[in-house]
């Protein structure tokens, strides 16, 4: 379907069939049906799926392996584990552009219903799910391989509100099912898959290079992060983030099931402001494999977000692999320092109680929730500070940051003085 500036709104679908790649498999099987009801979008498993010996719940406790239409959790309009697989702001804008020719940032993403977004987005979406109109025939919605130049041109046209040609719509279609608000696409390079992140026409500084610097520094500080590299196309920088939800095998690609922390916390989009690290830590203590290791890792990510100025650490930017019984954190992703005009800052997720101030002393105050002593928490913090200071110049050189950009980031996003208010960096050595 091509763009039409005066295109009519498509008829809303009445159902979608949910297909899943089971652990270790390279082909999907149908799991069940998602359809609107008076209570919201509800899911029920198919009898053939429930009869499988290798069937896993799409996510427990939200969608346990039971017959019949499964009730929604309180406050939810659809199962969170299925909403995780739906495109977010950028993908929705691409779909609206392709179907209706509606203009760029002014596009009202509420013009289409949730089932339409699930069924119109690409099949290579994050995680192990896809959505089809058929319960018996799986037809992937995939685009032919496109160059980075083609993808950049497509992204710029969407941002400017220009309708896509059929060729450009095909080029960008592949990346509509991934989350986030910034321009991006999916690419495959041999035995690896990447998320390609582009600069935006509204960027005031090199956001692409800044995210590269943050991700590289996080890895050097000992945090488990997705590998990244910089590429160049049409004279612009492109950040390539290696996907960790795909595994290449000689017989095909395996997919890893994932759920966001928003789903783990049982919250929908409207309740995301109540998401907190303390509640997530409690879930990790009770339901994750290697809970002590996972808690230390989550604490390290919280600290690094504060030290690098990433205040966009919302609950969709923390995820877990779901294998059918236990959970474990995925590598960190979307560590992107945010522009700040003033000194004071807050994190997107609550840190301790109703406190979300981007300060290290707040992290230390919450250390017991991560099963860390004050001394252990300070060791994590001080180790990261030392690592950032040690590797800063080399990583900025690796990114090709200009002296102006380095000055813009240092002590503003990275190691902002507000982060240190109330925190004595020397105390752990006394």
């Amino acid at each position: 379907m091509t763009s039409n500036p005066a295109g009519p709104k498509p008829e809303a679908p009445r159902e979608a069939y949910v297909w899943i790649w089971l652990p270790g498999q390279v082909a999907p099987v149908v799991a069940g049906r998602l359809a609107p009801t008076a209570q919201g979008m509800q899911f029920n498993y198919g009898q053939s799926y429930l009869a499988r010996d290798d069937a896993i719940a799409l996510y427990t406790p939200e969608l346990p392996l039971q017959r019949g239409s499964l009730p929604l959790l309180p406050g939810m309009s659809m199962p969170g584990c299925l909403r995780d697989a739906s495109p977010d702001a950028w993908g929705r804008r691409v779909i609206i552009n392709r179907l209706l020719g509606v203009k760029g940032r002014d596009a009202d993403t509420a013009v289409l219903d949730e089932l339409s977004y699930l069924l119109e987005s690409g099949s290579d979406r994050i995680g192990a799910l896809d959505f089809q109109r058929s319960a018996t025939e799986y037809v992937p919605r995939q685009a032919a391989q496109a160059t980075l130049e083609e993808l950049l041109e497509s992204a710029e046209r969407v941002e400017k509100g220009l309708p896509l040609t059929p060729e450009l719509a095909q080029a960008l279609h592949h990346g509509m099912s991934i989350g986030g608000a910034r321009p991006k696409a999916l690419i495959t390079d041999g035995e690896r898959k990447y998320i390609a992140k582009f600069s935006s026409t509204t960027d005031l500084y090199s956001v692409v290079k800044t995210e590269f610097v943050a991700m590289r520094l996080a890895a050097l500080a000992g945090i488990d992060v997705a590998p990244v590299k910089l590429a160049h196309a049409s004279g612009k920088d492109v950040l390539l983030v290696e996907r960790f939800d795909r595994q290449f095998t000689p017989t095909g690609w395996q997919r890893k099931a994932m759920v966001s922390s928003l789903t783990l916390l049982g919250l929908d989009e409207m309740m995301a402001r109540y998401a907190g690290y303390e509640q997530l830590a409690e879930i990790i203590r009770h339901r994750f494999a290697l809970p002590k290791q996972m808690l230390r890792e989550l604490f390290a990510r919280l600290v690094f977000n504060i030290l690098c100025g990433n205040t966009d650490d919302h609950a969709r930017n923390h995820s877990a692999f779901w294998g059918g019984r236990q959970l474990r954190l995925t590598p960190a992703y979307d560590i992107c320092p945010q522009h700040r005009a003033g000194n004071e800052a807050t994190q997107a997720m609550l840190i301790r109680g109703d406190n979300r101030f981007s300060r290290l002393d707040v992290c230390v105050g919450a250390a017991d929730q991560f099963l860390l002593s004050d001394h252990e928490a300070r060791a994590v913090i001080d180790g990261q500070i030392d690592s950032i200071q040690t590797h800063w110049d080399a990583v900025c050189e690796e990114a090709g940051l200009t002296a102006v950009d380095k000055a813009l980031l240092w002590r503003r996003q990275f190691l902002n003085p507000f982060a240190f208010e109330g925190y004595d960096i020397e105390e752990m050595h006394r």
Side-chain angles (χ1 to χ4, degrees), residues 4 14 24 64 99 186 207 337 426:
N4 179 358
R14 292 179 293 180
L99 294 182
L186 300 176
V207 175
E426 300 296 333

Side-chain angles (χ1 to χ4, degrees), residues 134-194:
S134 171
T136 57
E137 182 183 12
Y138 179 78
V139 181
R141 298 177 299 280
Q142 295 178 343
Q145 285 294 308
T147 66
L148 285 176
E149 286 80 5
E150 290 172 320
L151 294 170
L152 273 168
E153 182 182 354
S154 303
E156 289 176 358
R157 290 182 70 87
V158 170
E159 283 213 301
K160 294 175 181 178
L162 301 175
L164 294 173
T165 65
E167 293 77 17
L168 292 179
Q170 175 79 351
L172 204 58
H173 180 271
H174 199 36
M176 293 187 307
S177 52
I178 49 180
R182 293 183 58 81
K184 59 179 68 68
L186 300 176
I187 62 173
T188 301
D189 183 11
E191 298 182 3
R192 289 181 170 83
K193 288 179 178 281
Y194 297 93

